[in-house]
Amino acid sequence: MSDSKEENKEKMKRANQSDEYKVESTTEEFDNKDDIEQIIVSDSDSPRQIDSTTKEEEPEDYVIPKKVLPCHNVPERIIIVYDRAEDEVSTKFELGAQSFTPADMIKRSLEFFLHNKSSIDNRHQFALVVLNENSVVWVKDFTHDVKSIITTLQDTPNCHTEDVLVLDKLFDLVNSKSELRKLDTGNLDVPPKYVVRILFVYGRSFTMPQIKNQDLRKGIVENPFFTFDVIMTHEKPNTDNNAERISKFLQNVDTKGFAYFFPVARNAKDLHIAMAKLLGHPLQRPCQKAANYFINT
Amino acid sequence: MESNKETLQKFPKTIRKYIQELWLDGTIVLSCGNVNIYTDDKKPIYGNDLSQGTNFVVCIPFAGKILNWEIIFNDEDLSLAPDFDFIDDEFLLDPDIDVIETDVPSLAKWDIEDSKGLVAVIKEFLVLYKKYQFLKLQDNRYTRQYMEYSLLNEELGITQDEIEVLIDQKESVHFLIALKIDCSNLPPHAQREFFAGGKCLNPGGDSATLKVTYVGNKVTTTVVLSPRLEEILCKTNQLNFPPFNKDSGLVEYVPLVHQAVQNRIQQIRNHYNLCNNFISAFLAYQGHSVLEYDSINFMKISLMLEVENAYSVVTITLDNKFPQSKPKVQLLSISHKKNDIPHVENLAYPYSPKWTMEFLANKILTQLAEAVPMFKEDCIKF
C-alpha cells in the first residue's frame, strides 16, 4: 500500500516538472489519506479513470489531437443535460458554513455557467434536457433567454434512481432538435453557422448509463461540429458504488479527443471551477490536457 | 417591391435568361446600384397565361438619373431580336441601318443561344448614348461643364468609360465619375444583410462614385458608396468630405474626395491591425487558458485565470476608438453572486495609447495577477 503511495507521489512530482502538464494540487481530496490511490492522481481536470487498478500513464505518452477546424467563435447551441435523479444515500456538498444537496449545488453551478456564457457572447443559445429515472426528456427549446432556463431548472424536482439509464434518446434528440445535420461537413475550412455541444451533467453514483445504438452515437459524436462535454459528480469511489465504471463509460462517449471530461467528488469549489472551464468554446479552447490557467508574463 | 423570383415568373423561359444576365452583370453602369426590370402590370397580356410577358422596361441608372428603355420581344417569334423604345428620349429616334450594323453588332446579329446577348446590346447602346450626350455637351450653353469634362480627361486621365454625362430636358447637366478606389486593404467584413426582399443588396463589387449636378449656376456634389463599402466606412462615424470649391473645379475636387475615401480605408485597416495584434498578444501569453475570442474583428477575448488558488473569468473588450480609448477588462465570478447574477468587477490599470500591444497585454496580465485574488476576497464579502 505504502509503496504505491510513494510511486504516486513520485509521479506527481515528475508531472509537475513537465511544462505541458501542470498538476494542480488545490483540492482537499489530495490530503494524505489512504484513498489517494483510488482517486485520480492529478487535478480533477484530466480525463483519467477513477480506477484503483490501472497504472498511472506517463504524461509524455499522451498525444494531443490536432485540431482541423477553423478557430472561429461561431455561435454555440448548447444542450444542457441535467440529471434530476438523486441517489438514496448521497453526501452533501460543503460550501463555507453551508451544506447543499448535489442537486442544488449542480443547479447553482449551472446558473453561473449560463450567465457567464451568455455575457461572453449573447449569440449563444441553450436548450434543456432532463434525465429522469429511466428516460431522457427534451424540456426547453433553444433560447437566448438564460433566465427562463434557470427558472425551469430551479423548478425541476428530484427523482429516484434505477439500476440502468439508457441514453439513446439523447442522440435522437440531437438529430431532431439541434439541426446538427444541416451543417456542411464537406468543407472544414469554412466556419459553420453554429456548433452543437452537449453539456452532460451526471449525478448518479450507482446507476449505469447505457447506449444501445452505437451507430447512432457514433454518427453524432464523429460529426466535427459536435462536442460531448461531461461533468459528473460522484460519491467517493469505492467497491460499493459504480463511480469508476460510470466515469470510464462517460469518458468513452466522445471519440475525437476534444471533449472535456470532469469528474468531481463532493467539492463545491471543484464543481464551480469545472463549470467555468466548460465555458470554453469548442473551436477555440485548448485541449483539456494542454489547458493551463496560470498567468504567463 | 417584388422579388427577382416573382419578376422572372412573368416571362417565358427564353426571355428569363436575358433578364438574369442583366442582373448578374455588375459592369453595365458605373453606378453602385444595378440595372433593374420594370413591368407594367396594367398592360394587357394576351391569353390568361400570366407567364407569357414579352416586353419590359430596363431601368438603367445613369449619371445619377434613370434611363428607361423598353425592350419589346416579338410575341409570335421569340427568337427574333427585340425592338427597343428609348422612352422620352431623342436618342436614336430614327436609326440608320448602318449605325446598327457597325455600332450595335450584337443586335444586328442577334444570337438566340447567347444568354448575354441582351446585356451586350445594352452595353453597345450605352456607348452610343454616351457619345450622344457628349455631343450635346459641346453646345454653347454648357461651355463650363465641357471644360470641366475635358480637364478631367486631360489632367486626371479619366476616360469616357469612367464618366457618365447626361443633360436632361430641364438643361441640367449631370456627371457621374468613377472614383478608382483601391479596396484591397480593407479588412474582411461581412455585410449585415446581404439579401433583403429577394434582392441582392450589393450586386457590384466595392465601388465609389462622385455625383455632380449643375442646375443653372448651382453645383451640388455627392459621394455615393456601394452598400457594403458604406457599411464598413461609416461604421463609426460619417465620412466627411471637403466642400466643393467652384473656382478650383472638379479637376481638383476629384482627387480630394478620392483621398478622403482612401484615408478612411487606411484608418479602418490600421484599427483592425491594432486589434488583431492586441488579441494575438493575449493569445501568445494565455492561449492555453482561452475560453473564447472574437476571431473576425478581434474586439473581444475571454480567459479563465488562476492565481494562488483564486479563479476568475476575465473578459477584455476593445471598441472602435481603440487605442485612444482604454480596453475594458472585466472579472466575472465563477462562484459568487451579486444582485442575482455573477459578481462582476472592472479592472483598474495604468494605460497609455502609445504602448505596444505586447507591453499592454503584459501590463494587464500583471495587474490581473494581483486583482484576481483580491476579487475573490471582494466576492466573499458580499
Side-chain angles (χ1 to χ4, degrees):
Chain A
M1 221 27 170
S2 55
D3 273 339
S4 44
K5 219 171 37 174
E6 288 308 312
E7 228 178 66
N8 287 335
K9 280 205 196 141
E10 271 303 311
K11 284 184 176 148
M12 254 174 91
K13 239 203 280 174
R14 240 184 296 146
N16 257 326
Q17 283 157 13
S18 99
D19 281 71
E20 173 207 302
Y21 183 73
K22 200 138 188 162
V23 168
E24 302 163 50
S25 48
T26 54
T27 63
E28 289 93 81
E29 277 176 342
F30 306 136
D31 293 341
N32 284 328
K33 297 192 192 132
D34 276 343
D35 42 25
I36 200 168
E37 299 103 51
Q38 287 185 5
I39 301 175
I40 323 150
V41 184
S42 55
D43 63 334
S44 47
D45 284 340
S46 70
R48 300 219 176 160
Q49 300 169 18
I50 316 172
D51 195 325
S52 50
T53 55
T54 53
K55 273 219 152 168
E56 188 60 37
E57 276 173 36
E58 294 297 311
E60 295 84 69
D61 285 340
Y62 185 84
V63 173
I64 295 192
K66 188 165 171 222
K67 282 208 169 152
V68 293
L69 294 178
C71 295
H72 280 288
N73 60 326
V74 299
E76 284 200 71
R77 292 196 184 176
I78 303 175
I79 304 174
I80 298 185
V81 180
Y82 171 70
D83 185 2
R84 73 182 186 99
E86 195 159 36
D87 292 325
E88 265 174 42
V89 176
S90 64
T91 349
K92 295 214 170 163
F93 276 86
E94 311 286 330
L95 183 62
Q98 298 179 287
S99 63
F100 294 82
T101 61
D104 285 338
M105 201 78 252
I106 292 174
K107 285 179 188 176
R108 185 176 192 272
S109 63
L110 277 172
E111 268 185 56
F112 279 93
F113 176 82
L114 289 161
H115 278 300
N116 283 336
K117 188 68 180 169
S118 189
S119 73
I120 288 176
D121 189 338
N122 58 12
R123 294 173 308 159
H124 297 314
Q125 289 184 296
F126 309 91
L128 186 60
V129 164
V130 168
L131 302 176
N132 296 321
E133 297 96 339
N134 56 10
S135 59
V136 176
V137 173
W138 183 271
V139 169
K140 251 199 159 347
D141 279 332
F142 285 106
T143 173
H144 297 280
D145 184 1
V146 161
K147 290 213 176 98
S148 72
I149 303 250
I150 292 176
T151 319
T152 313
L153 265 176
Q154 282 169 347
D155 292 340
T156 308
N158 296 345
C159 69
H160 294 301
T161 60
E162 292 189 2
D163 287 335
V164 157
L165 176 66
V166 177
L167 295 176
D168 288 71
K169 176 95 184 290
L170 184 57
F171 297 99
D172 276 325
L173 288 170
V174 169
N175 266 337
S176 55
K177 300 270 190 178
S178 71
E179 299 187 312
L180 178 68
R181 284 219 205 99
K182 284 192 183 171
L183 295 173
D184 175 16
T185 54
N187 184 356
L188 293 182
D189 288 331
V190 176
K193 267 215 214 132
Y194 49 83
V195 283
V196 177
R197 174 153 62 127
I198 281 191
L199 178 52
F200 191 82
V201 185
Y202 198 70
R204 305 173 210 202
S205 306
F206 298 90
T207 311
M208 274 305 294
Q210 256 187 25
I211 295 177
K212 294 189 175 155
N213 186 345
Q214 288 296 334
D215 289 331
L216 176 61
R217 172 195 69 91
K218 256 186 165 185
I220 289 179
V221 163
E222 284 172 6
N223 186 311
F225 303 127
F226 176 80
T227 316
F228 191 87
D229 283 340
V230 177
I231 179 166
M232 58 172 279
T233 76
H234 55 83
E235 295 291 312
K236 207 151 48 181
N238 56 36
T239 44
D240 289 334
N241 63 39
N242 284 321
E244 305 157 20
R245 267 178 278 164
I246 292 172
S247 150
K248 203 167 173 177
F249 178 89
L250 289 176
Q251 271 180 68
N252 290 323
V253 174
D254 166 71
T255 49
K256 298 196 294 281
F258 299 117
Y260 277 15
F261 174 81
F262 294 105
V264 177
R266 299 303 188 202
N267 183 308
K269 188 169 175 187
D270 281 348
L271 179 64
H272 285 82
I273 292 170
M275 271 301 178
K277 290 177 181 175
L278 284 165
L279 290 167
H281 193 292
L283 297 182
Q284 296 182 322
R285 67 191 187 190
C287 263
Q288 193 169 2
K289 277 280 189 171
N292 161 4
Y293 301 95
F294 293 113
I295 295 186
N296 212 357
T297 42
Chain B
M1 278 267 268
E2 63 178 17
S3 75
N4 287 353
K5 199 171 169 190
E6 287 165 11
T7 314
L8 281 180
Q9 280 166 351
K10 291 186 182 167
F11 299 96
K13 283 210 178 117
T14 5
I15 297 184
R16 279 186 209 170
K17 62 179 193 258
Y18 300 124
I19 299 177
Q20 277 173 317
E21 289 295 339
L22 265 179
W23 282 329
L24 289 173
D25 192 324
T27 60
I28 303 177
V29 287
L30 285 179
S31 160
C32 310
N34 210 0
V35 172
N36 217 337
I37 304 290
Y38 168 73
T39 49
D40 190 351
D41 290 326
K42 298 184 210 108
K43 271 208 172 134
I45 297 172
Y46 292 109
N48 277 327
D49 194 344
L50 291 167
S51 68
Q52 295 306 313
T54 51
N55 38 326
F56 52 88
V57 175
V58 183
C59 309
I60 303 170
F62 188 86
K65 307 220 91 184
I66 305 226
L67 304 176
N68 293 309
W69 293 353
E70 188 171 8
I71 318 267
I72 305 156
F73 280 89
N74 187 322
D75 50 9
E76 281 167 33
D77 186 354
L78 288 176
S79 66
L80 292 176
D83 213 347
F84 278 76
D85 181 5
F86 304 104
I87 307 169
D88 294 334
D89 206 324
E90 292 182 356
F91 174 59
L92 286 186
L93 215 45
D94 191 7
D96 220 320
I97 282 285
D98 295 330
V99 169
I100 302 290
E101 286 267 342
T102 41
D103 296 325
V104 198
S106 305
L107 189 60
K109 297 184 175 59
W110 179 256
D111 181 2
I112 181 89
E113 297 297 315
D114 187 5
S115 54
K116 300 195 185 178
L118 186 62
V119 170
V121 173
I122 289 185
K123 282 187 178 171
E124 286 156 12
F125 272 134
L126 278 171
V127 172
L128 283 178
Y129 192 79
K130 283 186 180 174
K131 291 196 180 141
Y132 161 68
Q133 290 291 344
F134 185 61
L135 242 110
K136 274 208 224 172
L137 193 64
Q138 288 164 30
D139 186 290
N140 281 328
R141 287 170 283 176
Y142 313 114
T143 36
R144 181 179 159 210
Q145 290 84 345
Y146 181 76
M147 227 182 54
E148 294 262 42
Y149 185 102
S150 319
L151 277 175
L152 283 175
N153 185 300
E154 288 159 27
E155 308 238 340
L156 297 178
I158 295 182
T159 63
Q160 246 196 9
D161 290 329
E162 292 158 349
I163 177 168
E164 288 172 358
V165 183
L166 188 129
I167 300 169
D168 66 18
Q169 285 146 348
K170 298 187 196 140
E171 295 184 5
S172 328
V173 183
H174 304 270
F175 283 175
L176 190 70
I177 306 164
L179 297 165
K180 288 165 278 192
I181 304 286
D182 177 8
C183 295
S184 57
N185 234 356
L186 269 183
H189 173 90
Q191 214 175 332
R192 222 168 303 147
E193 243 200 304
F194 198 63
F195 282 98
K199 293 196 191 284
C200 176
L201 290 181
N202 202 57
D206 296 322
S207 61
T209 51
L210 176 65
K211 198 163 82 162
V212 189
T213 313
Y214 297 87
V215 180
N217 268 326
K218 216 173 107 178
V219 190
T220 33
T221 57
T222 337
V223 177
V224 184
L225 302 169
S226 60
R228 190 183 92 118
L229 203 58
E230 169 136 16
E231 209 180 82
I232 313 173
L233 297 189
C234 303
K235 200 163 44 170
T236 47
N237 42 328
Q238 270 309 108
L239 199 50
N240 287 323
F241 294 102
F244 177 63
N245 185 335
K246 258 204 232 181
D247 301 319
S248 42
L250 284 176
V251 71
E252 298 215 357
Y253 191 61
V254 168
L256 275 177
V257 165
H258 182 271
Q259 195 59 44
V261 179
Q262 295 289 170
N263 285 347
R264 177 54 72 93
I265 290 181
Q266 193 56 46
Q267 232 180 13
I268 294 196
R269 178 84 219 181
N270 290 344
H271 180 259
Y272 172 83
N273 284 347
L274 225 51
C275 291
N276 193 335
N277 289 344
F278 179 76
I279 299 290
S280 302
F282 267 94
L283 288 175
Y285 281 122
Q286 297 292 136
H288 45 79
S289 73
V290 78
L291 293 175
E292 248 188 70
Y293 62 94
D294 173 4
S295 58
I296 307 254
N297 295 315
F298 299 98
M299 306 268 272
K300 197 176 192 191
I301 182 167
S302 290
L303 313 160
M304 166 90 153
L305 294 177
E306 176 194 351
V307 181
E308 293 164 20
N309 210 1
Y311 289 79
S312 175
V313 170
V314 176
T315 301
I316 304 165
T317 321
L318 301 174
D319 67 16
N320 285 320
K321 298 214 170 62
F322 178 72
Q324 290 333 107
S325 63
K326 198 170 159 175
K328 185 165 93 161
V329 182
Q330 270 193 327
L331 290 97
L332 288 94
S333 174
I334 66 169
S335 52
H336 289 85
K337 280 197 207 170
K338 183 179 175 188
N339 300 332
D340 234 16
I341 52 167
H343 192 126
V344 173
E345 239 178 53
N346 287 333
L347 180 77
Y349 62 97
Y351 178 74
S352 163
K354 304 208 184 98
W355 289 342
T356 63
M357 295 300 111
E358 291 78 22
F359 189 76
L360 177 58
N362 202 326
K363 261 283 187 234
I364 293 178
L365 286 170
T366 317
Q367 201 74 20
L368 281 169
E370 290 177 17
V372 171
M374 286 203 299
F375 179 58
K376 174 184 162 184
E377 298 300 324
D378 286 342
C379 288
I380 294 177
K381 274 189 228 154
F382 278 99

